Amino acid sequence: MKINSQDPSDDRKNQPTLSAKHRKKQKRKIHLDIWSVSSSIIILAYILFLVYPVGSILKQAIYSPETGFSLGNFIAFFSKSYYSGTLINSFKVSIAATILALILGTSLAYLFAMYDFKGKKVLRILIIIASMSAPFIGAYSWILLLGRNGVITNFFSNLFGVTMPDIYGFNGIVLVFSLQLFPLIFLYVNGALRNIDNSILEAAESMGVTGFRRFIKIVLPLLMPTLLAGALLVFMRAFSDFGTPMLIGEGYRTFPVLIYTEFINEVGGDTAFASALAVVAIIIALSIFAGQRLIASRFSFSISSLHPIQIKQTKGWKKAFIYIICYGVVLVAVMPQIYLTYTSFQNTQGMVFQPGYSLNSYAEALNRMGDSILNTIRIPLFALVIVILFAMFISYLAVRRRNKLTSTIDSLSMIPYIVPGTVLGIAFLTSFNTGVAGSGMLAITGTMAILVISFAVRRLPYTIRSSVALLQNIPISIEEAALSLGSSQTNTFFKITVPMMLPGIVAGAILSWITMISELSTSILLYNLNTRTMTVAIYTEVLRGNYGIAAALGTLLSIFTVLSLLLFMKITKSDEISL
């Protein structure tokens, strides 16, 4: 045989080549570790469920088989004041709400940090609760209070003959947004103030800079990076909110409502035009995000807080002023939820409130909307499993395995944080209606899967950022010690790193959960009768005038939120949340 006739010297000649091949295979095996595999899976998931849907709406906006490539949809939008005016309206509302939220949130956080007064812990919990509820539920509650037949409206009309300004239009939208979103600024600033060293304030005071001057000259510049981050979040939340202007906007049209109505139209929506509007929204969101990052980088600095701010005792008019501001703002912020709960126990028949109290609204809500309540629990739970798994790996890759690929993953994970939910809803609906590229694969529109995936994609950033923040404080030497003792990378990650990351993962997961159960802008586009959630049910019941059922569902949703917050506080062993 040929193999027997081979010269032994040939084997020796071939040996170095075989060794080189062996080494090459070994090198390839080393690189195909858990991080390479996880990076590939994560980037594939983002390409499939973020890049592809966003790319699809971009394609629909600029290309059609009939006309080919065209910018006609964008030209139509900017050339007609009816359409472009909605964008201006959204900017007006968002800017006004952001300014008011900054004033209220920063003022309250400063008073909480600098001065001692009774009931601070209770007020802080109420602020947190107000921050976690869905904005459109606040809008609905304000309709009950300041609507044309609202309680406060009727009270002033009957008692004083005064006609109160109603809740509808620009002023109402700004009021609801400001009261719903100022807690986010409070949470950001509250965390930042804990990092300011008291010696800085004492030095300013020794130089005669006190009171309001000290706040403007010293504290405000130190808070600037935090204020910019909070302002971005508030602006994007206001700019992308769909439910509030839909309920109380009436003639005041905003951009998210225009996108929704153009896509879901009674006489047949214009998908291409709606896609063009979605692309405009994405460009605006990314531009604002990039601008905020650029400005924030110029204010970036680090502070070592060796001496926390010392809380002062107050007397006289200053103490009265602090009580009036803190209690007044917080009570106004939570008043809609309090009245919503009260309304849920009233005896109502549709839009008519009957004398007396009953549990009929709850009974009817459970009877008619039982599936919605169940969906509100199970759909976010399924999404939460995905969020936790992906957040564990993405946060580790972003902190410990930084390279071009993991940096790309980290950047992609932030896109859903700023892109309006209505836009992602349209992207998912159009992309997966007939499957990927019309192949029938992943034709999940109308199923529970599309809601689970959309919730996970949208709310994943909360858990990632929380996990990253904690992981950055864990010394890498702990993992290196485990590896030096013979532990594998996989074993070290799951048995050493993940347990240390767990508080951050769980805290972020609970915040993701809270935002998922109050999600409306995406689910309103993706739901069907079998996958309707409580937020969708509340919204539809308000439109139908079934206020009792809507109030009962809203109260149940608030209870879910409060229980989630209590769980968060128990796990983090803290009575406050800072962003």
Side-chain angles (χ1 to χ4, degrees), residues 7 64 93 107 118 129 140 223 242 266 293 304 319 371 382 385 393 462:
D7 192 317
S64 69
V93 165
S107 301
K118 292 182 180 180
I129 291 172
Y140 157 61
L223 293 176
F242 157 79
E266 293 181 2
R293 283 289 180 92
S304 297
K319 185 175 183 178
D371 290 341
F382 291 145
V385 173
F393 285 96
Y462 291 93

Side-chain angles (χ1 to χ4, degrees), residues 160-183:
F160 302 107
V162 176
T163 302
M164 291 285 294
D166 59 47
I167 195 65
Y168 304 99
F170 173 84
N171 293 332
I173 298 172
V174 172
L175 173 68
V176 172
F177 280 159
S178 302
L179 293 175
Q180 285 284 148
L181 299 176
F182 88 82

Side-chain angles (χ1 to χ4, degrees), residues 85-115:
T86 61
L87 185 58
I88 296 172
N89 288 346
S90 284
F91 271 107
K92 288 180 179 178
V93 165
S94 302
I95 292 171
T98 301
I99 292 171
L100 285 175
L102 283 169
I103 294 171
L104 292 175
T106 305
S107 301
L108 258 65
Y110 183 77
L111 294 176
F112 271 64
M114 299 296 295
Y115 302 103

Side-chain angles (χ1 to χ4, degrees), residues 351-369:
M351 298 180 67
V352 181
F353 291 88
Q354 304 290 339
Y357 302 92
S358 72
L359 296 175
N360 291 339
S361 295
Y362 287 93
E364 196 167 352
L366 292 171
N367 183 42
R368 290 174 48 191
M369 307 294 173

Side-chain angles (χ1 to χ4, degrees), residues 471-535:
L471 187 59
Q472 286 172 337
N473 294 323
I474 298 174
I476 195 172
S477 58
I478 299 174
E479 298 165 53
E480 291 173 342
L483 292 170
S484 68
L485 292 171
S487 176
S488 65
Q489 291 183 350
T490 306
N491 187 67
T492 301
F493 176 69
F494 284 107
K495 292 190 176 181
I496 306 294
T497 310
V498 170
M500 291 190 294
M501 290 170 57
L502 204 57
I505 294 171
V506 173
I510 293 173
L511 292 178
S512 295
W513 160 266
I514 292 171
T515 55
M516 282 191 281
I517 63 176
S518 59
E519 171 66 39
L520 175 67
S521 56
T522 302
S523 52
I524 194 71
L525 287 164
L526 301 178
Y527 86 98
N528 60 29
L529 289 176
N530 296 322
T531 59
R532 180 172 54 177
T533 59
M534 287 174 69
T535 51

Side-chain angles (χ1 to χ4, degrees), residues 41-348:
I41 293 173
I42 291 167
I43 197 70
L44 179 62
Y46 270 122
I47 290 172
L48 194 58
F49 296 111
L50 183 62
V51 176
Y52 169 68
V54 172
S56 295
I57 60 173
L58 175 60
K59 179 183 176 182
Q60 289 182 28
I62 63 176
Y63 176 82
S64 69
E66 295 81 13
T67 60
F69 177 81
S70 173
L71 296 176
N73 291 312
F74 295 97
I75 295 171
F77 171 74
F78 287 106
S79 62
K80 296 181 180 179
S81 59
Y82 174 84
Y83 295 125
S84 57
T86 61
L87 185 58
I88 296 172
N89 288 346
S90 284
F91 271 107
K92 288 180 179 178
V93 165
S94 302
I95 292 171
T98 301
I99 292 171
L100 285 175
L102 283 169
I103 294 171
L104 292 175
T106 305
S107 301
L108 258 65
Y110 183 77
L111 294 176
F112 271 64
M114 299 296 295
Y115 302 103
D116 183 39
F117 55 90
K118 292 182 180 180
K120 186 186 292 187
K121 182 183 289 187
V122 175
L123 290 181
R124 183 178 279 115
I125 293 173
L126 290 176
I127 290 172
I128 295 169
I129 291 172
S131 71
M132 296 301 172
S133 62
F136 85 95
I137 292 180
Y140 157 61
S141 303
W142 279 110
I143 290 174
L144 299 177
L145 291 168
L146 285 176
R148 295 186 180 92
N149 196 35
V151 174
I152 297 176
T153 304
N154 289 336
F155 173 79
F156 279 92
S157 177
N158 296 333
L159 195 62
F160 302 107
V162 176
T163 302
M164 291 285 294
D166 59 47
I167 195 65
Y168 304 99
F170 173 84
N171 293 332
I173 298 172
V174 172
L175 173 68
V176 172
F177 280 159
S178 302
L179 293 175
Q180 285 284 148
L181 299 176
F182 88 82
L184 298 176
I185 301 295
F186 174 88
L187 297 177
Y188 267 96
V189 176
N190 184 54
L193 285 170
R194 292 207 303 268
N195 295 324
I196 294 180
D197 197 294
N198 193 62
S199 59
I200 299 175
L201 303 181
E202 290 175 346
E205 195 168 348
S206 67
M207 297 176 69
V209 182
T210 59
F212 188 69
R213 282 185 64 214
R214 185 178 66 176
F215 175 77
I216 296 296
K217 297 283 188 180
I218 307 298
V219 178
L220 202 58
L222 293 175
L223 293 176
M224 192 57 66
T226 302
L227 292 175
L228 289 171
L232 172 69
L233 180 57
V234 170
F235 182 89
M236 292 314 305
R237 286 278 293 268
F239 185 82
S240 63
D241 187 81
F242 157 79
T244 300
M246 191 72 171
L247 285 176
I248 63 175
E250 290 197 344
Y252 197 84
R253 304 177 309 277
T254 60
F255 199 50
V257 175
L258 176 65
I259 295 173
Y260 175 80
T261 52
E262 284 296 323
F263 188 76
I264 308 291
N265 198 300
E266 293 181 2
V267 294
D270 188 344
T271 304
F273 187 66
S275 297
L277 300 182
V279 171
V280 172
I282 292 172
I283 293 172
I284 290 171
L286 293 177
S287 300
I288 293 172
F289 181 65
Q292 184 268 343
R293 283 289 180 92
L294 180 63
I295 296 171
S297 65
R298 298 183 179 181
F299 290 94
S300 61
F301 49 81
S302 60
I303 303 177
S304 297
S305 178
L306 300 177
H307 306 93
I309 292 176
Q310 294 181 356
I311 298 176
K312 300 177 181 178
Q313 301 291 333
T314 55
K315 295 180 180 179
W317 68 267
K318 183 179 285 188
K319 185 175 183 178
F321 174 78
I322 292 171
Y323 272 94
I324 291 171
I325 294 297
C326 293
Y327 275 84
V329 172
V330 175
L331 289 178
V332 170
V334 298
M335 183 169 60
Q337 290 184 314
I338 294 171
Y339 189 72
L340 181 75
T341 304
Y342 169 76
T343 304
S344 69
F345 292 103
Q346 285 187 291
N347 188 14
T348 58

